[in-house]
Amino acid sequence: MDYKIFRIINQLAGRYSVLDMLMILISNKVRYLFAFVLMLMWLRGYSQRKVTVYAVISATFTVLIKMLIQCFYFKPRPFMKRRVRILIPSKMNSAFLSTHMLLTTAVSTSIFLRERILGSVMWILSLLTGFSRIWVGHHYPSDIIRSLFVGSLTSIMVEKIFGSLKIMNRKTKNCYAPTRK
């Protein structure tokens, strides 16, 4: 089933040059948009900074989880086992979790938990990133779904754990609160 869905999406690659360029752009560059949004949020004030900190912590934990899993489990990328249409070069590492999808999902979920509208837009961009990773031939749909789950769960856990630590909240609020004269 996983391969069948992969084939349905990946066989479209190479047919429409405009869509191919768009998918390559999304696959390679959307993560920089996420970093830019986080930088803008950092500049907007205390509550936005808190979201940014949570997003960075979530993204870091998701990458650490991926690194830990890769120590014990290897799943070949689609182009390593089969003839697929690959639009851009890729590393020959495990496809079990998509780093692009982990990072974008962790950030978008962190934002969504505090800012629903911006978070929804970021979630749509995350889903497009996952779709593009299948389109360019780098991941199976199950890799994307697993990454979505791990990234979201990590962000929710970070929000619950750090959101409940009143001491940390008070200290960071005092550090970033504007001084009054």
Side-chain angles (χ1 to χ4, degrees), residues 1-3 5-6 9 134 139-146:
M1 182 69 156
D2 198 24
Y3 180 68
I5 296 170
F6 171 82
I9 296 169
I134 299 168
H139 289 282
Y140 291 107
S142 63
D143 304 330
I144 300 303
I145 292 167
R146 274 190 295 272

Side-chain angles (χ1 to χ4, degrees), residues 12-74:
L12 299 172
R15 291 187 182 182
Y16 311 103
S17 60
V18 173
L19 278 177
D20 287 346
M21 290 186 327
L22 179 65
M23 290 299 155
I24 291 169
L25 178 73
I26 292 169
S27 182
N28 285 338
K29 305 297 182 194
V30 163
R31 60 189 167 175
Y32 300 117
L33 177 65
F34 278 73
F36 180 72
V37 167
L38 287 177
M39 284 189 285
L40 286 178
M41 290 180 77
W42 180 261
L43 298 173
R44 290 193 61 209
Y46 168 71
S47 66
Q48 301 292 314
R49 285 185 184 146
K50 197 172 181 180
V51 173
T52 304
V53 169
Y54 289 178
V56 169
I57 292 170
S58 298
T60 303
F61 277 130
T62 60
V63 171
L64 291 173
I65 290 167
K66 179 186 180 189
M67 289 169 55
L68 181 66
I69 290 171
Q70 281 185 330
C71 290
F72 301 103
Y73 182 73
F74 181 84

Side-chain angles (χ1 to χ4, degrees), residues 75-98:
K75 179 183 177 190
R77 291 181 181 262
F79 60 84
M80 294 168 87
K81 289 181 71 175
R82 297 180 159 86
R83 273 181 69 94
V84 301
R85 294 180 180 156
I86 185 164
L87 297 181
I88 49 179
S90 176
K91 295 178 183 176
M92 300 293 277
N93 59 356
S94 179
F96 185 70
L97 293 172
S98 166

